Amino acid sequence: MINTINHNDLAVRYPVMEHFYTLQGEGAYAGYAAYFIRLGGCDVGCVWCDVKESWDANAHPQLAVEELLHHMLASKTNRVVITGGEPCMYDLHALCNVLRAHGLHIHLETSGAHEIKGQFDWVTLSPKKFKAPIASAYAKADELKIIIFNKHDFEWAKEHQALVKTTTALYLQTEWEKRDSNYTLIIDFIKANPAWHLSIQTHKYLNIP
Ligand code: SF4
């Protein structure tokens, strides 16, 4: 059943770097079909960022929620992932309201550096050292995903574990370029700390776009 839609929400525009139908590659929903919306704009500045072309919001077209909705409804999934860039640089209420009215499950991937504005079914918090999460982001995290770059990051992971809910799913994922050396460290850590789980970027191994 479709709930009432506010037509003002349909006209709201966001800078969209890309949008595509694929499989979620990592984390708790790895392997699930999902429609991805990658918003442009990021002020976090991770040195190892693999989507630096997303940083400049002005480099990407402003697409209306209505247009995005048509693409999503044309796919067979009822799951949407809003990622970036840093999507929480924007008020996402309009986008969420429309998607929710069409019965779509809305996932968010964020660094937590900005207030989360919108209603989501699943929030993946992936803190970055370059711009710390704000306090309210921890309480909203359904999934905490820590990227392991070096050994110190395991302590950093534990510090963040202490800040999220006890029900938050805990994932460790290697920084891609360090994967050969880091997987052994991550596996050893998880065996000693079984509350944590391994997240693998399956889309990169399988060349799924
Ligand atoms: S938060 Fe994400 S998009 Fe922004 S710089 Fe870091 S890895 Fe890149």
Side-chain angles (χ1 to χ4, degrees), residues 10-40:
L10 286 169
V12 172
R13 293 177 176 270
Y14 297 95
V16 177
M17 176 181 158
E18 57 182 348
H19 57 96
F20 51 97
Y21 186 31
T22 185
L23 269 57
Q24 170 61 282
E26 56 197 52
Y29 281 86
Y32 282 64
Y35 201 93
F36 271 65
I37 303 173
R38 186 183 304 286
L39 297 182

PDB file of all heavy atoms in Angstrom, residues 10-40:
ATOM      1  N   LEU A  10       8.638  15.436  -3.570  1.00  0.00           N
ATOM      2  CA  LEU A  10       9.024  14.891  -4.882  1.00  0.00           C
ATOM      3  C   LEU A  10       9.917  15.852  -5.664  1.00  0.00           C
ATOM      4  O   LEU A  10      10.731  15.435  -6.487  1.00  0.00           O
ATOM      5  CB  LEU A  10       7.766  14.587  -5.704  1.00  0.00           C
ATOM      6  CG  LEU A  10       6.958  13.362  -5.290  1.00  0.00           C
ATOM      7  CD1 LEU A  10       5.620  13.352  -6.009  1.00  0.00           C
ATOM      8  CD2 LEU A  10       7.727  12.080  -5.578  1.00  0.00           C
ATOM      9  N   ALA A  11       9.772  17.148  -5.400  1.00  0.00           N
ATOM     10  CA  ALA A  11      10.513  18.158  -6.168  1.00  0.00           C
ATOM     11  C   ALA A  11      11.876  18.494  -5.560  1.00  0.00           C
ATOM     12  O   ALA A  11      12.680  19.184  -6.200  1.00  0.00           O
ATOM     13  CB  ALA A  11       9.670  19.423  -6.277  1.00  0.00           C
ATOM     14  N   VAL A  12      12.150  18.000  -4.355  1.00  0.00           N
ATOM     15  CA  VAL A  12      13.429  18.316  -3.707  1.00  0.00           C
ATOM     16  C   VAL A  12      14.563  17.653  -4.493  1.00  0.00           C
ATOM     17  O   VAL A  12      14.433  16.514  -4.965  1.00  0.00           O
ATOM     18  CB  VAL A  12      13.422  17.824  -2.236  1.00  0.00           C
ATOM     19  CG1 VAL A  12      14.806  17.967  -1.611  1.00  0.00           C
ATOM     20  CG2 VAL A  12      12.384  18.604  -1.442  1.00  0.00           C
ATOM     21  N   ARG A  13      15.665  18.378  -4.650  1.00  0.00           N
ATOM     22  CA  ARG A  13      16.788  17.886  -5.453  1.00  0.00           C
ATOM     23  C   ARG A  13      18.024  17.640  -4.595  1.00  0.00           C
ATOM     24  O   ARG A  13      18.240  18.334  -3.605  1.00  0.00           O
ATOM     25  CB  ARG A  13      17.131  18.889  -6.561  1.00  0.00           C
ATOM     26  CG  ARG A  13      16.040  19.008  -7.600  1.00  0.00           C
ATOM     27  CD  ARG A  13      16.335  20.060  -8.654  1.00  0.00           C
ATOM     28  NE  ARG A  13      15.282  20.055  -9.663  1.00  0.00           N
ATOM     29  CZ  ARG A  13      15.301  19.314 -10.760  1.00  0.00           C
ATOM     30  NH1 ARG A  13      16.376  18.555 -11.021  1.00  0.00           N
ATOM     31  NH2 ARG A  13      14.312  19.323 -11.623  1.00  0.00           N
ATOM     32  N   TYR A  14      18.796  16.660  -5.001  1.00  0.00           N
ATOM     33  CA  TYR A  14      20.065  16.333  -4.339  1.00  0.00           C
ATOM     34  C   TYR A  14      21.154  16.170  -5.407  1.00  0.00           C
ATOM     35  O   TYR A  14      20.858  15.710  -6.526  1.00  0.00           O
ATOM     36  CB  TYR A  14      19.938  15.011  -3.562  1.00  0.00           C
ATOM     37  CG  TYR A  14      18.930  15.046  -2.442  1.00  0.00           C
ATOM     38  CD1 TYR A  14      17.621  14.599  -2.647  1.00  0.00           C
ATOM     39  CD2 TYR A  14      19.272  15.518  -1.184  1.00  0.00           C
ATOM     40  CE1 TYR A  14      16.683  14.615  -1.619  1.00  0.00           C
ATOM     41  CE2 TYR A  14      18.340  15.543  -0.146  1.00  0.00           C
ATOM     42  CZ  TYR A  14      17.045  15.087  -0.374  1.00  0.00           C
ATOM     43  OH  TYR A  14      16.128  15.116   0.644  1.00  0.00           O
ATOM     44  N   PRO A  15      22.413  16.478  -5.048  1.00  0.00           N
ATOM     45  CA  PRO A  15      23.503  16.228  -6.004  1.00  0.00           C
ATOM     46  C   PRO A  15      23.796  14.728  -6.062  1.00  0.00           C
ATOM     47  O   PRO A  15      24.152  14.122  -5.047  1.00  0.00           O
ATOM     48  CB  PRO A  15      24.677  17.009  -5.406  1.00  0.00           C
ATOM     49  CG  PRO A  15      24.373  17.085  -3.945  1.00  0.00           C
ATOM     50  CD  PRO A  15      22.884  17.083  -3.797  1.00  0.00           C
ATOM     51  N   VAL A  16      23.609  14.145  -7.225  1.00  0.00           N
ATOM     52  CA  VAL A  16      23.753  12.683  -7.343  1.00  0.00           C
ATOM     53  C   VAL A  16      24.951  12.362  -8.239  1.00  0.00           C
ATOM     54  O   VAL A  16      24.957  12.689  -9.431  1.00  0.00           O
ATOM     55  CB  VAL A  16      22.468  12.050  -7.912  1.00  0.00           C
ATOM     56  CG1 VAL A  16      22.655  10.543  -8.090  1.00  0.00           C
ATOM     57  CG2 VAL A  16      21.287  12.340  -6.992  1.00  0.00           C
ATOM     58  N   MET A  17      25.940  11.721  -7.660  1.00  0.00           N
ATOM     59  CA  MET A  17      27.111  11.318  -8.434  1.00  0.00           C
ATOM     60  C   MET A  17      26.787  10.138  -9.339  1.00  0.00           C
ATOM     61  O   MET A  17      27.173  10.081 -10.499  1.00  0.00           O
ATOM     62  CB  MET A  17      28.251  10.956  -7.486  1.00  0.00           C
ATOM     63  CG  MET A  17      29.486  10.441  -8.178  1.00  0.00           C
ATOM     64  SD  MET A  17      30.769  10.023  -7.007  1.00  0.00           S
ATOM     65  CE  MET A  17      31.720   8.896  -8.030  1.00  0.00           C
ATOM     66  N   GLU A  18      26.045   9.184  -8.784  1.00  0.00           N
ATOM     67  CA  GLU A  18      25.634   8.026  -9.576  1.00  0.00           C
ATOM     68  C   GLU A  18      24.506   7.316  -8.851  1.00  0.00           C
ATOM     69  O   GLU A  18      24.339   7.453  -7.633  1.00  0.00           O
ATOM     70  CB  GLU A  18      26.814   7.065  -9.811  1.00  0.00           C
ATOM     71  CG  GLU A  18      27.463   6.563  -8.536  1.00  0.00           C
ATOM     72  CD  GLU A  18      28.656   5.658  -8.811  1.00  0.00           C
ATOM     73  OE1 GLU A  18      28.858   5.238  -9.953  1.00  0.00           O
ATOM     74  OE2 GLU A  18      29.378   5.347  -7.839  1.00  0.00           O
ATOM     75  N   HIS A  19      23.723   6.569  -9.605  1.00  0.00           N
ATOM     76  CA  HIS A  19      22.684   5.723  -9.005  1.00  0.00           C
ATOM     77  C   HIS A  19      22.579   4.478  -9.866  1.00  0.00           C
ATOM     78  O   HIS A  19      22.639   4.556 -11.106  1.00  0.00           O
ATOM     79  CB  HIS A  19      21.354   6.470  -8.872  1.00  0.00           C
ATOM     80  CG  HIS A  19      20.810   7.015 -10.147  1.00  0.00           C
ATOM     81  ND1 HIS A  19      19.879   6.352 -10.903  1.00  0.00           N
ATOM     82  CD2 HIS A  19      21.084   8.170 -10.815  1.00  0.00           C
ATOM     83  CE1 HIS A  19      19.594   7.070 -11.971  1.00  0.00           C
ATOM     84  NE2 HIS A  19      20.313   8.181 -11.952  1.00  0.00           N
ATOM     85  N   PHE A  20      22.466   3.337  -9.228  1.00  0.00           N
ATOM     86  CA  PHE A  20      22.533   2.088  -9.987  1.00  0.00           C
ATOM     87  C   PHE A  20      21.969   0.944  -9.156  1.00  0.00           C
ATOM     88  O   PHE A  20      21.972   0.979  -7.918  1.00  0.00           O
ATOM     89  CB  PHE A  20      23.982   1.782 -10.384  1.00  0.00           C
ATOM     90  CG  PHE A  20      24.971   1.841  -9.238  1.00  0.00           C
ATOM     91  CD1 PHE A  20      25.353   0.685  -8.572  1.00  0.00           C
ATOM     92  CD2 PHE A  20      25.499   3.057  -8.836  1.00  0.00           C
ATOM     93  CE1 PHE A  20      26.260   0.735  -7.513  1.00  0.00           C
ATOM     94  CE2 PHE A  20      26.405   3.120  -7.774  1.00  0.00           C
ATOM     95  CZ  PHE A  20      26.780   1.966  -7.123  1.00  0.00           C
ATOM     96  N   TYR A  21      21.512  -0.054  -9.879  1.00  0.00           N
ATOM     97  CA  TYR A  21      20.951  -1.261  -9.234  1.00  0.00           C
ATOM     98  C   TYR A  21      22.045  -2.318  -9.169  1.00  0.00           C
ATOM     99  O   TYR A  21      22.665  -2.644 -10.191  1.00  0.00           O
ATOM    100  CB  TYR A  21      19.766  -1.746 -10.066  1.00  0.00           C
ATOM    101  CG  TYR A  21      18.988  -2.898  -9.471  1.00  0.00           C
ATOM    102  CD1 TYR A  21      18.875  -3.070  -8.099  1.00  0.00           C
ATOM    103  CD2 TYR A  21      18.349  -3.805 -10.302  1.00  0.00           C
ATOM    104  CE1 TYR A  21      18.145  -4.112  -7.563  1.00  0.00           C
ATOM    105  CE2 TYR A  21      17.609  -4.861  -9.782  1.00  0.00           C
ATOM    106  CZ  TYR A  21      17.515  -5.004  -8.404  1.00  0.00           C
ATOM    107  OH  TYR A  21      16.794  -6.046  -7.884  1.00  0.00           O
ATOM    108  N   THR A  22      22.280  -2.851  -7.985  1.00  0.00           N
ATOM    109  CA  THR A  22      23.371  -3.802  -7.823  1.00  0.00           C
ATOM    110  C   THR A  22      23.109  -4.676  -6.599  1.00  0.00           C
ATOM    111  O   THR A  22      21.972  -4.765  -6.131  1.00  0.00           O
ATOM    112  CB  THR A  22      24.729  -3.045  -7.684  1.00  0.00           C
ATOM    113  OG1 THR A  22      25.779  -3.992  -7.647  1.00  0.00           O
ATOM    114  CG2 THR A  22      24.773  -2.172  -6.438  1.00  0.00           C
ATOM    115  N   LEU A  23      24.166  -5.318  -6.110  1.00  0.00           N
ATOM    116  CA  LEU A  23      24.090  -6.053  -4.848  1.00  0.00           C
ATOM    117  C   LEU A  23      24.919  -5.303  -3.820  1.00  0.00           C
ATOM    118  O   LEU A  23      26.017  -4.824  -4.137  1.00  0.00           O
ATOM    119  CB  LEU A  23      24.648  -7.473  -4.990  1.00  0.00           C
ATOM    120  CG  LEU A  23      23.682  -8.602  -5.372  1.00  0.00           C
ATOM    121  CD1 LEU A  23      22.971  -8.307  -6.678  1.00  0.00           C
ATOM    122  CD2 LEU A  23      24.413  -9.937  -5.432  1.00  0.00           C
ATOM    123  N   GLN A  24      24.402  -5.201  -2.597  1.00  0.00           N
ATOM    124  CA  GLN A  24      25.231  -4.662  -1.524  1.00  0.00           C
ATOM    125  C   GLN A  24      26.429  -5.584  -1.367  1.00  0.00           C
ATOM    126  O   GLN A  24      26.276  -6.800  -1.282  1.00  0.00           O
ATOM    127  CB  GLN A  24      24.410  -4.590  -0.230  1.00  0.00           C
ATOM    128  CG  GLN A  24      25.200  -4.276   1.031  1.00  0.00           C
ATOM    129  CD  GLN A  24      25.913  -2.921   1.006  1.00  0.00           C
ATOM    130  OE1 GLN A  24      26.978  -2.804   0.372  1.00  0.00           O
ATOM    131  NE2 GLN A  24      25.358  -1.932   1.658  1.00  0.00           N
ATOM    132  N   GLY A  25      27.622  -5.005  -1.362  1.00  0.00           N
ATOM    133  CA  GLY A  25      28.810  -5.846  -1.361  1.00  0.00           C
ATOM    134  C   GLY A  25      29.356  -6.176   0.007  1.00  0.00           C
ATOM    135  O   GLY A  25      30.103  -7.141   0.163  1.00  0.00           O
ATOM    136  N   GLU A  26      29.013  -5.363   1.031  1.00  0.00           N
ATOM    137  CA  GLU A  26      29.722  -5.513   2.308  1.00  0.00           C
ATOM    138  C   GLU A  26      28.774  -5.337   3.492  1.00  0.00           C
ATOM    139  O   GLU A  26      27.654  -4.864   3.336  1.00  0.00           O
ATOM    140  CB  GLU A  26      30.855  -4.487   2.374  1.00  0.00           C
ATOM    141  CG  GLU A  26      30.376  -3.063   2.185  1.00  0.00           C
ATOM    142  CD  GLU A  26      31.504  -2.094   1.831  1.00  0.00           C
ATOM    143  OE1 GLU A  26      32.266  -2.368   0.876  1.00  0.00           O
ATOM    144  OE2 GLU A  26      31.602  -1.053   2.510  1.00  0.00           O
ATOM    145  N   GLY A  27      29.272  -5.744   4.651  1.00  0.00           N
ATOM    146  CA  GLY A  27      28.511  -5.550   5.881  1.00  0.00           C
ATOM    147  C   GLY A  27      27.383  -6.550   6.050  1.00  0.00           C
ATOM    148  O   GLY A  27      27.331  -7.592   5.397  1.00  0.00           O
ATOM    149  N   ALA A  28      26.449  -6.205   6.914  1.00  0.00           N
ATOM    150  CA  ALA A  28      25.395  -7.137   7.316  1.00  0.00           C
ATOM    151  C   ALA A  28      24.483  -7.537   6.154  1.00  0.00           C
ATOM    152  O   ALA A  28      23.896  -8.613   6.178  1.00  0.00           O
ATOM    153  CB  ALA A  28      24.560  -6.507   8.434  1.00  0.00           C
ATOM    154  N   TYR A  29      24.328  -6.675   5.165  1.00  0.00           N
ATOM    155  CA  TYR A  29      23.431  -6.955   4.040  1.00  0.00           C
ATOM    156  C   TYR A  29      24.179  -7.345   2.770  1.00  0.00           C
ATOM    157  O   TYR A  29      23.633  -7.225   1.666  1.00  0.00           O
ATOM    158  CB  TYR A  29      22.502  -5.759   3.801  1.00  0.00           C
ATOM    159  CG  TYR A  29      21.352  -5.729   4.800  1.00  0.00           C
ATOM    160  CD1 TYR A  29      21.509  -5.122   6.044  1.00  0.00           C
ATOM    161  CD2 TYR A  29      20.144  -6.351   4.529  1.00  0.00           C
ATOM    162  CE1 TYR A  29      20.479  -5.123   6.985  1.00  0.00           C
ATOM    163  CE2 TYR A  29      19.104  -6.364   5.452  1.00  0.00           C
ATOM    164  CZ  TYR A  29      19.287  -5.747   6.674  1.00  0.00           C
ATOM    165  OH  TYR A  29      18.259  -5.762   7.592  1.00  0.00           O
ATOM    166  N   ALA A  30      25.400  -7.817   2.916  1.00  0.00           N
ATOM    167  CA  ALA A  30      26.162  -8.266   1.748  1.00  0.00           C
ATOM    168  C   ALA A  30      25.364  -9.338   1.007  1.00  0.00           C
ATOM    169  O   ALA A  30      24.830 -10.266   1.616  1.00  0.00           O
ATOM    170  CB  ALA A  30      27.511  -8.817   2.187  1.00  0.00           C
ATOM    171  N   GLY A  31      25.280  -9.173  -0.304  1.00  0.00           N
ATOM    172  CA  GLY A  31      24.569 -10.155  -1.119  1.00  0.00           C
ATOM    173  C   GLY A  31      23.125  -9.789  -1.392  1.00  0.00           C
ATOM    174  O   GLY A  31      22.468 -10.446  -2.210  1.00  0.00           O
ATOM    175  N   TYR A  32      22.597  -8.755  -0.742  1.00  0.00           N
ATOM    176  CA  TYR A  32      21.216  -8.336  -0.968  1.00  0.00           C
ATOM    177  C   TYR A  32      21.153  -7.392  -2.180  1.00  0.00           C
ATOM    178  O   TYR A  32      21.962  -6.475  -2.298  1.00  0.00           O
ATOM    179  CB  TYR A  32      20.668  -7.567   0.245  1.00  0.00           C
ATOM    180  CG  TYR A  32      20.249  -8.420   1.417  1.00  0.00           C
ATOM    181  CD1 TYR A  32      21.173  -9.198   2.116  1.00  0.00           C
ATOM    182  CD2 TYR A  32      18.934  -8.425   1.853  1.00  0.00           C
ATOM    183  CE1 TYR A  32      20.791  -9.970   3.202  1.00  0.00           C
ATOM    184  CE2 TYR A  32      18.538  -9.188   2.942  1.00  0.00           C
ATOM    185  CZ  TYR A  32      19.473  -9.953   3.612  1.00  0.00           C
ATOM    186  OH  TYR A  32      19.092 -10.709   4.689  1.00  0.00           O
ATOM    187  N   ALA A  33      20.161  -7.596  -3.029  1.00  0.00           N
ATOM    188  CA  ALA A  33      19.933  -6.659  -4.120  1.00  0.00           C
ATOM    189  C   ALA A  33      19.505  -5.314  -3.535  1.00  0.00           C
ATOM    190  O   ALA A  33      18.705  -5.262  -2.595  1.00  0.00           O
ATOM    191  CB  ALA A  33      18.847  -7.187  -5.051  1.00  0.00           C
ATOM    192  N   ALA A  34      20.050  -4.234  -4.081  1.00  0.00           N
ATOM    193  CA  ALA A  34      19.718  -2.905  -3.554  1.00  0.00           C
ATOM    194  C   ALA A  34      19.953  -1.855  -4.638  1.00  0.00           C
ATOM    195  O   ALA A  34      20.844  -2.008  -5.476  1.00  0.00           O
ATOM    196  CB  ALA A  34      20.572  -2.578  -2.332  1.00  0.00           C
ATOM    197  N   TYR A  35      19.137  -0.811  -4.594  1.00  0.00           N
ATOM    198  CA  TYR A  35      19.349   0.321  -5.490  1.00  0.00           C
ATOM    199  C   TYR A  35      20.207   1.338  -4.752  1.00  0.00           C
ATOM    200  O   TYR A  35      19.851   1.792  -3.664  1.00  0.00           O
ATOM    201  CB  TYR A  35      18.016   0.934  -5.919  1.00  0.00           C
ATOM    202  CG  TYR A  35      18.170   1.717  -7.191  1.00  0.00           C
ATOM    203  CD1 TYR A  35      17.937   1.129  -8.420  1.00  0.00           C
ATOM    204  CD2 TYR A  35      18.612   3.034  -7.166  1.00  0.00           C
ATOM    205  CE1 TYR A  35      18.128   1.829  -9.600  1.00  0.00           C
ATOM    206  CE2 TYR A  35      18.809   3.740  -8.337  1.00  0.00           C
ATOM    207  CZ  TYR A  35      18.561   3.125  -9.559  1.00  0.00           C
ATOM    208  OH  TYR A  35      18.759   3.815 -10.726  1.00  0.00           O
ATOM    209  N   PHE A  36      21.348   1.688  -5.318  1.00  0.00           N
ATOM    210  CA  PHE A  36      22.301   2.594  -4.674  1.00  0.00           C
ATOM    211  C   PHE A  36      22.133   4.014  -5.212  1.00  0.00           C
ATOM    212  O   PHE A  36      22.058   4.216  -6.428  1.00  0.00           O
ATOM    213  CB  PHE A  36      23.746   2.140  -4.928  1.00  0.00           C
ATOM    214  CG  PHE A  36      24.276   1.171  -3.902  1.00  0.00           C
ATOM    215  CD1 PHE A  36      23.723  -0.091  -3.771  1.00  0.00           C
ATOM    216  CD2 PHE A  36      25.316   1.537  -3.065  1.00  0.00           C
ATOM    217  CE1 PHE A  36      24.204  -0.991  -2.814  1.00  0.00           C
ATOM    218  CE2 PHE A  36      25.806   0.653  -2.102  1.00  0.00           C
ATOM    219  CZ  PHE A  36      25.248  -0.607  -1.982  1.00  0.00           C
ATOM    220  N   ILE A  37      22.117   4.949  -4.291  1.00  0.00           N
ATOM    221  CA  ILE A  37      22.173   6.373  -4.660  1.00  0.00           C
ATOM    222  C   ILE A  37      23.422   6.943  -3.998  1.00  0.00           C
ATOM    223  O   ILE A  37      23.514   6.971  -2.765  1.00  0.00           O
ATOM    224  CB  ILE A  37      20.940   7.144  -4.152  1.00  0.00           C
ATOM    225  CG1 ILE A  37      19.655   6.532  -4.682  1.00  0.00           C
ATOM    226  CG2 ILE A  37      21.037   8.616  -4.548  1.00  0.00           C
ATOM    227  CD1 ILE A  37      18.407   7.149  -4.082  1.00  0.00           C
ATOM    228  N   ARG A  38      24.383   7.350  -4.817  1.00  0.00           N
ATOM    229  CA  ARG A  38      25.612   7.947  -4.269  1.00  0.00           C
ATOM    230  C   ARG A  38      25.526   9.463  -4.423  1.00  0.00           C
ATOM    231  O   ARG A  38      25.596   9.993  -5.539  1.00  0.00           O
ATOM    232  CB  ARG A  38      26.856   7.424  -4.996  1.00  0.00           C
ATOM    233  CG  ARG A  38      28.164   7.929  -4.339  1.00  0.00           C
ATOM    234  CD  ARG A  38      29.412   7.469  -5.087  1.00  0.00           C
ATOM    235  NE  ARG A  38      29.500   6.031  -5.239  1.00  0.00           N
ATOM    236  CZ  ARG A  38      29.815   5.184  -4.264  1.00  0.00           C
ATOM    237  NH1 ARG A  38      30.080   5.642  -3.060  1.00  0.00           N
ATOM    238  NH2 ARG A  38      29.871   3.895  -4.501  1.00  0.00           N
ATOM    239  N   LEU A  39      25.338  10.147  -3.298  1.00  0.00           N
ATOM    240  CA  LEU A  39      25.241  11.602  -3.324  1.00  0.00           C
ATOM    241  C   LEU A  39      26.626  12.220  -3.403  1.00  0.00           C
ATOM    242  O   LEU A  39      27.576  11.712  -2.800  1.00  0.00           O
ATOM    243  CB  LEU A  39      24.508  12.100  -2.074  1.00  0.00           C
ATOM    244  CG  LEU A  39      23.046  11.645  -1.938  1.00  0.00           C
ATOM    245  CD1 LEU A  39      22.422  12.263  -0.680  1.00  0.00           C
ATOM    246  CD2 LEU A  39      22.229  12.016  -3.163  1.00  0.00           C
ATOM    247  N   GLY A  40      26.719  13.319  -4.135  1.00  0.00           N
ATOM    248  CA  GLY A  40      27.974  14.051  -4.239  1.00  0.00           C
ATOM    249  C   GLY A  40      28.137  14.984  -3.053  1.00  0.00           C
ATOM    250  O   GLY A  40      27.147  15.437  -2.458  1.00  0.00           O
TER     251      GLY A  40
END
